[in-house]
Amino acid sequence: MIEIQGTVIQIIYYNQDNYYTVAKFKPGSGKTLTMVGNLPPLSPGEPLLITGEWVRHKEYGEQFQVQEWERKIPKTLLGIERFLGGGMIKGIGKATAAKIVRKFGLESLEIIENTPERLAEIPGISLKKALKINAGLKEQAAIQQIMVFLQGVGISPAYALKIYRVYSNEAINVVSENPYRLADDVFGIGFKIADQIAEKLGIGKDSPYRIRAGIRYLLNEVSAEGHVFAIESDFLTKASQELDLNELQLAAEVEELILQKEVFREKTSDFTALYAAPFYYSEVGAAAKIQALLGIQLKPVPIDPETLLKDFAATSEITLAAKQKEAVINALKFGMMVITGGPGTGKTTIIKAIIQLFAMARMPVLLAAPTGRAAKRLAETTGQEAKTIHRLLGYGNESKNGGKFQRNEKEPLTAEALIIDEFSMVDLPLFYNLLKAVTPGTRLIMVGDVDQLPSVGPGSVLRDLIQSQVIPTVRLDVIFRQAEASLIVANAHKINRGEFPYLSTAQDFFFIAKPEPEQVVQTIIELVKTRISGYLQCDPLEDIQVLTPMRRTITGVENLNLNLQAALNPPQTDKDELQFGANIFRVGDKVMQLKNDYQKLVFNGDIGKIREIDNEERTLSVAYQDADAERVIIYESEELDQLVLSYAISVHKSQGNEYPVVIMPVTTQHFLMLQRNLLYTAVTRAKKMVVIIGTKKAIAIAVKNNRIEERHSLLQQRIKAAYRESW
């Protein structure tokens, strides 16, 4: 093994999934070399001692393969300046680092560590900032210790900062005693990484810690696929393979988890279901709440519904069709109801009518939608206040309410009616929390398109409600005259019926034939940057959204984002940017949140724009659109793995949102994801224009494939059973 001490010069490539790094490295003496290996996030200027061997890559030539590494304290003025200004220590950027080294020279690090108040002698550094720099240096020393420990158990320490943030000085003790806690406590560390750590620490495969953590992990994997529960026989077979254990060992620990009420078992005539506790409580609780809402005696509407409809027609000059009238009357008549239909069928008109009728009857109404964009659109189209569901239910700062919804049975919402738009996006846990906050006697009106993709979270709530045949439902199937002129609307319905869409030249629906993926990418860039933005006089970032079926492949989310960022928001000398691994975030970038963060109140799929970057503090600020205003959220450096670029996003992540222009690549590269409801969902996201780029063959595959992914759920059956009991 060869040891080389030197400095990181440049990060060429960094893979966040496996930490594989390619970087330029300058030894203390000699030529700059290329080093490769699984390493933590590095910054240019970091001094390292690397241990490994020389290897020859058939394409890139000689490289140094790093097996072990250690951060070193720099000894030269240039090394100290690079180390301090490399971004590892909060409060110090390149400019501040240069000032410190000019003032204190080779004593800089010693002064920061032992007499930090002296930093205040430098203009621009307050005592508060000096102490913060001191804390940052000490924190780096603690993190270094964790990194060395993790390296010793065979895991890349890229997560060291997160582990330190969660456990502080107890990090090594926690990991040593039960590494499986990491999977529950630290975002980004799943069971598999914890399992690798446990193996290195000598924890056996049959450890109860491991088996229970594995069961919880695999049940969460099931829910990540949209299922509410796992079928026990299938689950035990898969778990046996995944965990390399026999089914008897697994079954014994399942029983233990059932005793602890972390897992629930439910037997049906066809199979036995295993639920993670939160989803069991949500499904059983939702069915009970529905029974109560449907069975309650409603406060009568003080004016005859037919009179209300006549007055509405006279004042609004809108004549409702038969199905629309039925929907409005049901909204007045029942404790719960569903309105579903495709684009152009008048869902928005019905919402407006219901609001006006309740207003005429002096009965207050609340409006909500799953996302900030959808809530804002609802407010704009109705002229009434609308909130996200989370905001409506009072999910605030965890320190204030314990990380729970403030609105529930004890403090319910007060209104005569509650209208939820874009209801196809609502998953089972959110639905249950919503039901808990609905006062018995409040009319719950759910509006959405059941033919779109189901929610990202577990369950198929809207589909289950409709198929239960217990909830009064109105399906709108007539396209109104003003929508008939739109090929977006016409083609959406053709796709939904399994018919090939019209691809002739039209004002709002275009098809561009490009057989090669590289041609598709180049065409998308041209369309966004100049052709469409120039034609419609629109903002390429705000008004145009690229949707794609897959993350990877040439025409997938990741590659399209890199290309679109380079075209739409290239680097500039006066534009701040922040490197996180191989990703570069730049002021002006469109970004998307990847996980629900209940403290920040940003949720999986929310899209914002980077407003500001502070390179000294290693933070960036993202502006998100709420229903009523723009909200700015600050991200620390260790939280940046929650963000990705969003010039292009998956169709699933677009649910509940509308965009003036949608561009979608549809190629046979996406064969596995080409489904009718996916194409339908993408087309219905557009208001003014749809552009599909690819091949007719790929479109035909999608249109013909009506395979709807069945999700394991018993909500429909529970609703039926509860309804039979009440009658």
Side-chain angles (χ1 to χ4, degrees), residues 393-638:
L393 299 182
Y395 210 121
N397 188 290
E398 185 170 356
S399 63
K400 293 180 181 177
N401 60 25
K404 296 179 180 179
F405 291 103
Q406 292 181 22
R407 296 291 191 175
N408 49 40
E409 298 98 334
K410 294 179 180 178
E411 194 175 343
L413 298 165
T414 54
E416 294 297 334
L418 170 58
I419 301 174
I420 308 293
D421 198 13
E422 293 289 353
F423 196 80
S424 63
M425 285 188 69
V426 176
D427 62 21
L428 179 62
L430 183 58
F431 181 52
Y432 177 47
N433 279 294
L434 177 69
L435 290 175
K436 286 197 290 184
V438 176
T439 305
T442 298
R443 295 160 173 82
L444 178 58
I445 301 154
M446 298 159 284
V447 184
D449 186 346
V450 73
D451 294 318
Q452 288 184 23
L453 291 168
S455 59
V456 174
S460 300
V461 174
L462 182 58
R463 189 176 301 278
D464 283 344
L465 292 179
I466 294 170
Q467 291 183 348
S468 74
Q469 297 182 327
V470 170
I471 315 299
T473 299
V474 175
R475 179 182 273 274
L476 307 171
D477 50 15
V478 175
I479 303 173
F480 286 91
R481 193 185 321 159
Q482 59 268 34
E484 287 179 341
S486 168
L487 261 193
I488 295 175
V489 173
N491 277 337
H493 287 276
K494 283 179 73 67
I495 290 165
N496 202 29
R497 293 193 298 266
E499 301 170 10
F500 197 83
Y502 298 114
L503 298 182
S504 57
T505 302
Q507 187 176 350
D508 64 356
F509 197 103
F510 297 87
F511 170 71
I512 300 174
K514 294 291 179 185
E516 299 300 326
E518 292 82 2
Q519 295 175 324
V520 172
V521 173
Q522 189 55 42
T523 304
I524 288 173
I525 292 169
E526 292 169 3
L527 287 168
V528 176
K529 188 175 182 181
T530 56
R531 290 167 61 180
I532 293 178
S533 53
Y535 174 66
L536 292 179
Q537 294 297 299
C538 65
D539 185 326
L541 266 67
E542 295 293 329
D543 299 329
I544 303 175
Q545 185 61 59
V546 178
L547 305 180
T548 182
M550 299 182 78
R551 278 187 59 206
R552 293 183 171 86
T553 73
I554 294 173
T555 54
V557 169
E558 293 174 1
N559 187 55
L560 282 170
N561 269 319
L562 290 175
N563 281 276
L564 287 165
Q565 183 193 40
L568 298 175
N569 195 26
Q572 296 177 14
T573 54
D574 61 344
K575 187 174 284 188
D576 288 329
E577 58 183 45
L578 185 61
Q579 183 158 357
F580 178 72
N583 292 329
I584 294 175
F585 293 112
R586 195 170 290 132
V587 170
D589 276 337
K590 277 173 73 172
V591 291
M592 181 171 65
Q593 174 79 8
L594 287 179
K595 62 164 283 196
N596 291 338
D597 189 322
Y598 294 107
Q599 280 66 59
K600 288 183 168 63
L601 278 180
V602 286
F603 302 98
N604 185 0
D606 284 354
I607 290 178
K609 193 172 184 180
I610 297 177
R611 295 292 190 208
E612 186 179 352
I613 290 175
D614 187 330
N615 277 295
E616 290 206 344
E617 297 295 331
R618 297 282 291 173
T619 61
L620 58 78
S621 302
V622 179
Y624 292 98
Q625 181 62 57
D626 274 347
D628 51 354
E630 195 174 75
R631 194 161 49 96
V632 176
I633 301 296
I634 297 175
Y635 290 81
E636 303 287 338
S637 57
E638 67 270 17

Side-chain angles (χ1 to χ4, degrees), residues 130-151:
L131 295 175
K132 186 173 184 178
I133 291 170
N134 167 264
L137 186 65
K138 288 180 178 178
E139 183 178 80
Q140 283 305 309
I143 293 164
Q144 168 77 7
Q145 188 180 11
I146 296 168
M147 286 181 171
V148 171
F149 169 74
L150 289 177
Q151 181 177 280

Side-chain angles (χ1 to χ4, degrees), residues 141-208:
I143 293 164
Q144 168 77 7
Q145 188 180 11
I146 296 168
M147 286 181 171
V148 171
F149 169 74
L150 289 177
Q151 181 177 280
V153 294
I155 299 298
S156 170
Y159 289 116
L161 183 57
K162 291 190 165 196
I163 294 171
Y164 178 80
R165 287 277 188 263
V166 174
Y167 303 119
S168 190
N169 294 329
E170 289 298 307
I172 292 176
N173 290 337
V174 169
V175 174
S176 300
E177 181 183 339
N178 179 13
Y180 295 103
R181 280 184 61 182
L182 299 176
D184 295 326
D185 298 342
V186 184
F187 173 68
I189 297 184
F191 170 80
K192 291 187 176 180
I193 293 176
D195 203 30
Q196 291 174 45
I197 297 172
E199 185 179 6
K200 293 287 183 180
L201 291 170
I203 296 174
K205 288 187 175 181
D206 58 353
S207 161

